[in-house]
Amino acid sequence: MLSLITLSIFAAFAIKFLHYCIGSPVQGEYYTGRIFSAYGKFISKRYLDFEDKEKNRVWAKYNAWKIKRDIQLKGELENKTAEQSDVIYKDYLQQVEHVYNDVENNMKNNPWSMAGACPICFGTWVSLFTFTFFVIFVPLPWWFIFIGTPAAVIISRYIKIS
């Protein structure tokens, strides 16, 4: 049990140190004095490019749907009384609001998060690799991977390096 705690703390420091060396690409905190700052810039560019591409894809789908729905609305409103038009238009506004709110939820996950842009995603991979390495090459129980990986990620969130 002591080896699990020690290894969890070691992995947490490894996560924090590596992420510090990269910088925080999403927040633009990659400095030239850090060991892997060029990697941080690389990850940041890829992360932001993917985000922009995905936003454009999702919003283009929304805009195409809205244009199609606007044309349908014009057809529905022809030869209707004021009360019928009001009901149809309120329904239309509810549909548009619902679809608009779901647009961001339809975005794909950014694969560059786990490469260093997201500290939790990055920490999970570093911790998983660390525990798998120690379980394979040091006679440790296999279940250390399942307990130690989340423990190291949680511990790493409380370590501050300035």
Side-chain angles (χ1 to χ4, degrees):
M1 189 54 124
L2 183 60
S3 58
L4 176 63
I5 294 169
T6 306
L7 193 54
S8 294
I9 293 170
F10 168 76
F13 274 103
I15 291 166
K16 204 60 166 183
F17 177 73
L18 287 172
H19 202 261
Y20 174 79
C21 291
I22 292 170
S24 183
V26 175
Q27 298 168 355
E29 292 179 357
Y30 39 81
Y31 301 107
T32 55
R34 293 192 178 169
I35 298 169
F36 302 121
S37 61
Y39 177 72
K41 288 179 185 178
F42 171 79
I43 292 299
S44 179
K45 181 169 178 12
R46 296 298 184 273
Y47 182 88
L48 294 174
D49 288 347
F50 185 87
E51 286 289 312
D52 290 341
K53 185 176 121 184
E54 194 58 24
K55 280 182 184 173
N56 290 339
R57 181 188 72 83
V58 170
W59 284 107
K61 279 176 68 175
Y62 169 77
N63 289 332
W65 173 84
K66 185 153 181 339
I67 290 169
K68 182 178 155 186
R69 187 64 184 96
D70 288 344
I71 293 169
Q72 283 179 342
L73 177 67
K74 285 181 185 177
E76 291 175 7
L77 291 178
E78 287 180 7
N79 302 326
K80 299 290 183 190
T81 64
E83 290 177 1
Q84 291 173 331
S85 295
D86 190 44
V87 170
I88 291 171
Y89 193 70
K90 284 182 181 177
D91 182 45
Y92 163 79
L93 289 178
Q94 285 178 345
Q95 267 187 331
V96 169
E97 183 181 357
H98 178 70
V99 172
Y100 181 87
N101 291 336
D102 283 345
V103 167
E104 295 284 328
N105 294 335
N106 292 327
M107 289 180 61
K108 295 178 188 172
N109 290 332
N110 195 326
W112 294 99
S113 292
M114 64 187 148
C118 169
I120 294 173
C121 303
F122 179 72
T124 302
W125 286 108
V126 169
S127 182
L128 187 62
F129 173 76
T130 303
F131 277 95
T132 303
F133 177 84
F134 278 100
V135 165
I136 291 172
F137 294 108
V138 178
L140 294 175
W142 60 270
W143 51 269
F144 271 32
I145 295 171
F146 300 109
I147 296 173
T149 298
V153 174
I154 291 168
I155 292 169
S156 75
R157 302 302 297 149
Y158 294 102
I159 299 173
K160 302 291 181 212
I161 298 178
S162 350

